[in-house]
Amino acid sequence: MGLFTQLLIGGGLIALTFIIQAFCFDRIIRIAPWIEKQSVRLSKPMWKSIFFVVIISLITGVLIIEMWVWALFYLGIDVMHDVESALYFSTSAFTTVGFGDIYLDKEWRMVSAIESVNGFLLFGWATAFIWEVVTHIYAKEGKALKK
């Protein structure tokens, strides 16, 4: 597989995972007020902890879905022969850990490097999203305390 083709395929997968993340984060932010209300209802003293655990779990779920997208791609092009290997490799590349015990042949290795760039960007976006949610909750709480 040529370098240009790998770059196009990698770019397409990046676009797909960006769309997934944008859509899911939009859904998460829209249901966040409902999650907040349910968290308060469950435990007023611990509502923020419950809220943050739910939000961060949802965000983690989105990242896992994106790792699965890459894993399914590797299975689809038949460079990984079982689900466990494909998901393990994808997770290793996406999180930029890159253990190196499983790797792609030379004709596909640029795609795995692109997956690492993708994961780096999406984890950064997820971190910024978490920061924004946490900041919003504490700013809102601060305003309520000033009243």
Side-chain angles (χ1 to χ4, degrees), residues 1 9 14 18-19 21 25 28 37 55 57 68 70 83 88-89 91-92 99 111 124 129 138 147:
M1 190 64 47
I9 291 169
I14 285 176
F18 278 23
I19 289 166
Q21 189 143 314
F25 282 12
I28 291 169
K37 287 177 188 165
I55 294 293
S57 296
W68 270 97
W70 285 90
V83 172
Y88 173 79
F89 177 79
T91 302
S92 177
F99 290 118
V111 173
F129 187 78
Y138 284 112
K147 290 181 180 183

Short mmCIF file of all heavy atoms in Angstrom, two decimals, residues 1 9 14 18-19 21 25 28 37 55 57 68 70 83 88-89 91-92 99 111 124 129 138 147:
data_model
loop_
_atom_site.label_atom_id
_atom_site.label_comp_id
_atom_site.label_asym_id
_atom_site.label_seq_id
_atom_site.Cartn_x
_atom_site.Cartn_y
_atom_site.Cartn_z
N MET A 1 0.86 -1.18 0.00
CA MET A 1 0.00 0.00 0.00
C MET A 1 0.90 1.23 0.00
O MET A 1 1.78 1.35 0.83
CB MET A 1 -0.88 -0.04 1.24
CG MET A 1 -1.98 0.96 1.27
SD MET A 1 -3.27 0.85 0.00
CE MET A 1 -3.70 -0.87 0.02
N ILE A 9 -6.50 6.97 3.65
CA ILE A 9 -7.28 6.07 4.51
C ILE A 9 -7.23 6.57 5.96
O ILE A 9 -8.26 6.67 6.63
CB ILE A 9 -6.77 4.63 4.41
CG1 ILE A 9 -7.09 4.05 3.03
CG2 ILE A 9 -7.36 3.75 5.52
CD1 ILE A 9 -6.39 2.73 2.73
N ILE A 14 -9.67 9.35 10.59
CA ILE A 14 -9.63 10.50 11.51
C ILE A 14 -10.93 11.29 11.39
O ILE A 14 -11.55 11.65 12.39
CB ILE A 14 -8.40 11.39 11.26
CG1 ILE A 14 -7.15 10.72 11.81
CG2 ILE A 14 -8.59 12.78 11.87
CD1 ILE A 14 -5.86 11.48 11.51
N PHE A 18 -13.59 11.89 14.37
CA PHE A 18 -13.92 13.25 14.78
C PHE A 18 -15.43 13.47 14.74
O PHE A 18 -16.00 14.12 15.63
CB PHE A 18 -13.22 14.28 13.88
CG PHE A 18 -11.79 14.57 14.26
CD1 PHE A 18 -11.03 13.67 14.98
CD2 PHE A 18 -11.21 15.76 13.89
CE1 PHE A 18 -9.71 13.94 15.32
CE2 PHE A 18 -9.90 16.05 14.22
CZ PHE A 18 -9.14 15.14 14.93
N ILE A 19 -16.07 12.95 13.71
CA ILE A 19 -17.53 13.07 13.60
C ILE A 19 -18.20 12.33 14.77
O ILE A 19 -19.12 12.86 15.39
CB ILE A 19 -18.02 12.53 12.24
CG1 ILE A 19 -17.60 13.49 11.13
CG2 ILE A 19 -19.53 12.33 12.24
CD1 ILE A 19 -17.73 12.91 9.73
N GLN A 21 -16.93 11.70 17.72
CA GLN A 21 -16.69 12.42 18.97
C GLN A 21 -17.53 13.69 19.04
O GLN A 21 -18.12 14.00 20.08
CB GLN A 21 -15.20 12.73 19.14
CG GLN A 21 -14.88 13.29 20.51
CD GLN A 21 -13.56 12.80 21.05
OE1 GLN A 21 -13.25 11.63 20.97
NE2 GLN A 21 -12.79 13.71 21.60
N PHE A 25 -20.21 14.05 21.95
CA PHE A 25 -20.01 15.10 22.95
C PHE A 25 -21.19 16.08 22.94
O PHE A 25 -21.57 16.59 23.98
CB PHE A 25 -18.69 15.83 22.72
CG PHE A 25 -17.48 15.07 23.22
CD1 PHE A 25 -17.56 13.73 23.59
CD2 PHE A 25 -16.25 15.70 23.31
CE1 PHE A 25 -16.44 13.05 24.05
CE2 PHE A 25 -15.13 15.03 23.77
CZ PHE A 25 -15.23 13.70 24.14
N ILE A 28 -23.80 14.34 24.92
CA ILE A 28 -23.45 14.34 26.35
C ILE A 28 -23.75 15.70 26.97
O ILE A 28 -24.35 15.78 28.05
CB ILE A 28 -21.98 13.94 26.56
CG1 ILE A 28 -21.77 12.46 26.22
CG2 ILE A 28 -21.54 14.22 28.01
CD1 ILE A 28 -20.31 12.03 26.13
N LYS A 37 -29.37 16.58 37.52
CA LYS A 37 -30.58 16.46 38.36
C LYS A 37 -30.69 15.07 38.98
O LYS A 37 -31.03 14.94 40.16
CB LYS A 37 -31.83 16.75 37.53
CG LYS A 37 -32.00 18.20 37.19
CD LYS A 37 -33.22 18.42 36.31
CE LYS A 37 -33.24 19.86 35.83
NZ LYS A 37 -34.15 20.06 34.72
N ILE A 55 -20.37 11.38 33.60
CA ILE A 55 -19.89 12.12 32.44
C ILE A 55 -18.58 11.53 31.92
O ILE A 55 -18.42 11.28 30.71
CB ILE A 55 -19.72 13.62 32.76
CG1 ILE A 55 -21.08 14.29 33.06
CG2 ILE A 55 -18.97 14.35 31.64
CD1 ILE A 55 -22.02 14.36 31.87
N SER A 57 -17.42 8.54 32.41
CA SER A 57 -17.68 7.20 31.88
C SER A 57 -18.23 7.27 30.46
O SER A 57 -17.84 6.48 29.58
CB SER A 57 -18.67 6.45 32.77
OG SER A 57 -18.10 6.22 34.04
N TRP A 68 -12.53 0.97 18.65
CA TRP A 68 -13.17 -0.13 17.92
C TRP A 68 -13.26 0.17 16.43
O TRP A 68 -13.14 -0.75 15.60
CB TRP A 68 -14.57 -0.42 18.49
CG TRP A 68 -14.56 -1.43 19.58
CD1 TRP A 68 -14.55 -1.19 20.92
CD2 TRP A 68 -14.56 -2.85 19.42
NE1 TRP A 68 -14.56 -2.38 21.61
CE2 TRP A 68 -14.56 -3.41 20.71
CE3 TRP A 68 -14.56 -3.70 18.31
CZ2 TRP A 68 -14.56 -4.78 20.93
CZ3 TRP A 68 -14.56 -5.07 18.53
CH2 TRP A 68 -14.55 -5.60 19.81
N TRP A 70 -11.10 1.74 14.60
CA TRP A 70 -9.79 1.38 14.06
C TRP A 70 -9.60 -0.14 14.07
O TRP A 70 -9.10 -0.71 13.09
CB TRP A 70 -8.68 2.07 14.84
CG TRP A 70 -8.55 3.53 14.52
CD1 TRP A 70 -9.18 4.58 15.13
CD2 TRP A 70 -7.76 4.10 13.48
NE1 TRP A 70 -8.81 5.76 14.55
CE2 TRP A 70 -7.93 5.50 13.54
CE3 TRP A 70 -6.90 3.58 12.52
CZ2 TRP A 70 -7.29 6.37 12.67
CZ3 TRP A 70 -6.25 4.44 11.65
CH2 TRP A 70 -6.45 5.83 11.73
N VAL A 83 -10.28 -10.58 16.71
CA VAL A 83 -10.78 -9.36 17.34
C VAL A 83 -9.87 -8.90 18.47
O VAL A 83 -9.56 -7.71 18.59
CB VAL A 83 -12.23 -9.57 17.86
CG1 VAL A 83 -12.69 -8.38 18.67
CG2 VAL A 83 -13.17 -9.83 16.70
N TYR A 88 -6.49 -4.92 20.73
CA TYR A 88 -5.28 -4.68 21.51
C TYR A 88 -4.34 -3.75 20.76
O TYR A 88 -3.84 -2.76 21.32
CB TYR A 88 -4.58 -6.01 21.82
CG TYR A 88 -3.24 -5.86 22.49
CD1 TYR A 88 -3.15 -5.60 23.85
CD2 TYR A 88 -2.06 -5.98 21.75
CE1 TYR A 88 -1.91 -5.46 24.47
CE2 TYR A 88 -0.83 -5.83 22.36
CZ TYR A 88 -0.75 -5.58 23.71
OH TYR A 88 0.47 -5.44 24.31
N PHE A 89 -4.10 -4.04 19.49
CA PHE A 89 -3.22 -3.19 18.70
C PHE A 89 -3.80 -1.78 18.58
O PHE A 89 -3.09 -0.79 18.75
CB PHE A 89 -3.00 -3.78 17.30
CG PHE A 89 -2.16 -2.88 16.44
CD1 PHE A 89 -0.78 -2.85 16.58
CD2 PHE A 89 -2.76 -2.02 15.53
CE1 PHE A 89 -0.01 -1.99 15.81
CE2 PHE A 89 -1.99 -1.16 14.76
CZ PHE A 89 -0.61 -1.14 14.90
N THR A 91 -5.90 -0.21 20.55
CA THR A 91 -5.82 0.49 21.84
C THR A 91 -4.40 0.95 22.12
O THR A 91 -4.17 2.08 22.57
CB THR A 91 -6.32 -0.42 22.98
OG1 THR A 91 -7.66 -0.82 22.69
CG2 THR A 91 -6.28 0.28 24.32
N SER A 92 -3.44 0.10 21.81
CA SER A 92 -2.03 0.44 22.01
C SER A 92 -1.62 1.63 21.14
O SER A 92 -0.95 2.55 21.60
CB SER A 92 -1.17 -0.79 21.70
OG SER A 92 0.19 -0.48 21.81
N PHE A 99 3.21 -0.61 22.47
CA PHE A 99 4.08 -1.62 23.06
C PHE A 99 5.05 -2.24 22.06
O PHE A 99 6.16 -2.57 22.40
CB PHE A 99 3.25 -2.73 23.71
CG PHE A 99 2.52 -2.30 24.94
CD1 PHE A 99 1.14 -2.33 24.97
CD2 PHE A 99 3.20 -1.84 26.05
CE1 PHE A 99 0.45 -1.93 26.10
CE2 PHE A 99 2.52 -1.43 27.19
CZ PHE A 99 1.13 -1.48 27.21
N VAL A 111 -0.46 3.88 8.65
CA VAL A 111 -1.83 3.97 9.16
C VAL A 111 -1.83 3.88 10.69
O VAL A 111 -2.55 4.62 11.36
CB VAL A 111 -2.73 2.89 8.53
CG1 VAL A 111 -4.11 2.87 9.18
CG2 VAL A 111 -2.86 3.10 7.04
N GLY A 124 -6.93 14.67 23.82
CA GLY A 124 -6.82 16.09 24.17
C GLY A 124 -8.17 16.78 24.16
O GLY A 124 -8.50 17.55 25.08
N PHE A 129 -12.86 18.84 27.09
CA PHE A 129 -14.31 18.72 27.32
C PHE A 129 -14.60 18.48 28.80
O PHE A 129 -15.48 19.13 29.39
CB PHE A 129 -14.86 17.59 26.46
CG PHE A 129 -16.35 17.47 26.46
CD1 PHE A 129 -17.14 18.33 25.71
CD2 PHE A 129 -16.98 16.48 27.21
CE1 PHE A 129 -18.52 18.21 25.70
CE2 PHE A 129 -18.37 16.36 27.21
CZ PHE A 129 -19.13 17.23 26.45
N TYR A 138 -18.44 24.00 38.81
CA TYR A 138 -17.92 24.76 39.94
C TYR A 138 -18.22 26.26 39.82
O TYR A 138 -18.45 26.93 40.83
CB TYR A 138 -16.42 24.50 40.14
CG TYR A 138 -16.19 23.15 40.78
CD1 TYR A 138 -15.59 22.12 40.09
CD2 TYR A 138 -16.59 22.91 42.09
CE1 TYR A 138 -15.40 20.88 40.67
CE2 TYR A 138 -16.41 21.68 42.69
CZ TYR A 138 -15.81 20.66 41.97
OH TYR A 138 -15.62 19.45 42.56
N LYS A 147 -25.04 34.12 46.25
CA LYS A 147 -26.40 34.66 46.39
C LYS A 147 -26.85 34.66 47.81
O LYS A 147 -26.57 34.06 48.69
CB LYS A 147 -27.38 33.88 45.53
CG LYS A 147 -27.16 34.15 44.07
CD LYS A 147 -28.17 33.39 43.26
CE LYS A 147 -27.97 33.65 41.78
NZ LYS A 147 -28.93 33.00 40.96
#
